Amino acid sequence: MKVGLLTGGGDCPGLNAVIRAVNQRIHNSGGSCIGILEGWRGLIKCQTRELPISVTEEIISRGGTILGSSRTNPYKRPEVDLPALRENFAKLGLDALVAIGGDDTLGVANRLHNDFGMPMVGVPKTIDNDLNVTDFTFGFDTAVNIVIEAIDRLRTTSESHRRVMVVETMGRQAGWIACFSAIAAAADFAFVPEVPIEMDRCIEVLKRRRIEGKNYGIVVVSEGSKFPNQDEMTLTGKTDDFGHVQLGGISAIVADKIEKATGFETRSVVLGHIQRGGAPSAYDRVLATRLGLHAAELVVQKNFGRMVALKGTKIIEAPLKDGVSNLKNLDLDFYKEASVFFQ
Ligand code: F6P
């Protein structure tokens, strides 16, 4: 059995752990894996690499993906790219393909399975934790740990200068990273995309805290947060192959409003791609490994058009379409719990 492996979309810590796990499990059953480079682009262009066990046995601690990634969408130019992709799949002699990605990558895997019966298995990933079906995605825990380490550092400089620091996190239209980071790093306030920005409440909290003796402030803002009655933030004006707008920059606007309303010196920091970099946490290594092993199991059973997911503490399987139908917003119970400290 020959199995193709690809990683698509934004990278995240834990991708290599999945590659290692799938490769080992397939190897144990007498098969082999081949790496498709840079997501769907690698299948369109037939760019691959061999994956002997020696290549993957120690990659669990490495961030990013040894296969490279891209946001290539073969359905954007279907008349050219789909025939090439299918031809290369046959040419490589693949019996199955494990696609590791977010809603876009898994959405393509689902369509290829439905449109052409291609043998696809999906593994969900994203630092944003916004995929349906799965309780948590690997990469998220590492990203939150990176954010809280950054906030711990920003706290000391903010305190020294008696400043307010507005920290912008990733997460697209879901506030998971911002909310978890705000709880774990004791932020004074947090804005998430699921709740329209309440500027007045935030300003009131920051002013009250000064009166009470706290001479600095930490505000977390998720990149997709919106002011009341505002559509998606399009500060950069750029979109990717899947039509998603490139986010970023809301923290500067929030910082400006805070400074003007309070008179407190305020700075903004966009944490950006640092949240996706470096070694995965222990939690993400274990979760990614378990998902990879179960995905390989689906391949061995020839159970295609399926994806693996985390439910509670168990790895389950589900139709690929379930994972890509809707994005999973932040569960507002978490925001309510975080808000107890925004007083
Ligand atoms: O989906 C993961 C993510 O990191 C988002 O949080 C962020 O908005 C986006 O990817 C950034 O994408 P890019 O790496 O293409 O700039």
Side-chain angles (χ1 to χ4, degrees):
M1 169 170 262
K2 196 170 172 195
V3 182
L5 265 174
L6 68 78
T7 50
D11 70 341
C12 78
L15 289 169
N16 287 326
V18 180
I19 295 167
R20 171 179 177 263
V22 174
N23 201 24
Q24 185 69 55
R25 176 66 187 86
I26 295 297
H27 176 84
N28 291 359
S29 63
S32 66
C33 289
I34 183 165
I36 314 286
L37 301 183
E38 298 165 15
W40 296 113
R41 183 159 68 211
L43 205 48
I44 293 165
K45 297 193 168 172
C46 206
Q47 289 167 338
T48 62
R49 69 175 283 183
E50 297 296 319
L51 288 178
I53 290 295
S54 58
V55 165
T56 59
E57 64 189 350
E58 288 175 7
I59 58 174
I60 192 166
S61 59
R62 209 187 302 168
T65 160
I66 61 163
L67 301 179
S69 191
S70 73
R71 295 192 188 277
T72 306
N73 178 6
Y75 279 91
K76 199 171 174 199
R77 295 187 317 155
E79 61 299 333
V80 192
D81 289 341
L82 289 178
L85 181 150
R86 293 176 65 202
E87 208 172 286
N88 290 329
F89 190 90
K91 194 162 96 190
L92 291 166
L94 297 178
D95 299 299
L97 188 114
V98 176
I100 311 163
D103 57 323
D104 296 329
T105 305
L106 299 186
V108 170
N110 186 41
R111 284 182 80 173
L112 291 172
H113 177 74
N114 290 339
D115 294 349
F116 310 109
M118 290 178 79
M120 299 284 161
V121 166
V123 179
K125 70 86 223 180
T126 168
I127 62 164
D128 303 339
N129 196 38
D130 62 354
L131 290 183
N132 252 334
V133 179
T134 193
D135 286 350
F136 284 97
T137 45
F138 65 85
F140 170 69
D141 180 67
T142 307
V144 170
N145 276 293
I146 293 168
V147 175
I148 66 170
E149 194 205 320
I151 293 179
D152 288 347
R153 289 175 189 278
L154 291 166
R155 182 182 303 283
T156 59
T157 169
S158 306
E159 193 169 10
S160 305
H161 290 269
R162 279 77 169 112
R163 284 173 176 158
V164 176
M165 193 64 76
V166 181
V167 185
E168 180 172 323
T169 67
M170 282 187 165
R172 280 203 202 279
Q173 304 307 332
W176 291 97
I177 298 177
C179 184
F180 273 52
S181 303
I183 294 173
D188 296 293
F189 211 89
F191 296 120
V192 294
E194 291 81 357
V195 180
I197 291 178
E198 300 167 298
M199 216 55 236
D200 292 347
R201 256 194 73 205
C202 171
I203 286 162
E204 191 192 311
V205 169
L206 292 170
K207 281 184 177 165
R208 188 170 343 109
R209 293 207 168 171
R210 288 275 165 149
I211 293 165
E212 289 165 1
K214 181 173 180 178
N215 55 17
Y216 74 100
I218 301 284
V219 174
V220 176
V221 57
S222 183
E223 62 180 2
S225 302
K226 293 170 273 296
F227 291 97
N229 305 320
Q230 183 203 356
D231 290 337
E232 197 168 40
M233 258 291 166
T234 52
L235 295 174
T236 65
K238 293 184 192 159
T239 51
D240 67 19
D241 242 20
F242 288 89
H244 301 301
V245 297
Q246 201 180 82
L247 296 166
I250 180 87
S251 55
I253 299 171
V254 169
D256 189 52
K257 287 187 187 293
I258 290 174
E259 189 165 272
K260 287 202 172 105
T262 62
F264 307 147
E265 199 181 4
T266 305
R267 294 281 192 273
S268 61
V269 175
V270 181
L271 295 181
H273 294 84
I274 199 165
Q275 292 160 93
R276 297 214 310 244
S281 65
Y283 179 87
D284 282 340
R285 292 183 199 196
V286 173
L287 175 57
T289 299
R290 295 180 69 208
L291 290 168
L293 293 176
H294 283 74
E297 202 57 49
L298 291 178
V299 169
V300 170
Q301 293 164 4
K302 298 190 170 32
N303 193 357
F304 300 123
R306 317 283 292 174
M307 63 182 282
V308 288
L310 178 72
K311 264 281 165 272
T313 57
K314 299 283 180 217
I315 305 296
I316 59 151
E317 50 149 306
L320 260 173
K321 69 169 170 36
D322 289 6
V324 299
S325 42
N326 279 311
L327 286 181
K328 183 184 70 187
N329 286 330
L330 171 68
D331 175 343
L332 287 180
D333 283 351
F334 287 107
Y335 192 68
K336 212 167 138 199
E337 285 154 7
S339 301
V340 170
F341 300 92
F342 306 160
Q343 302 296 329

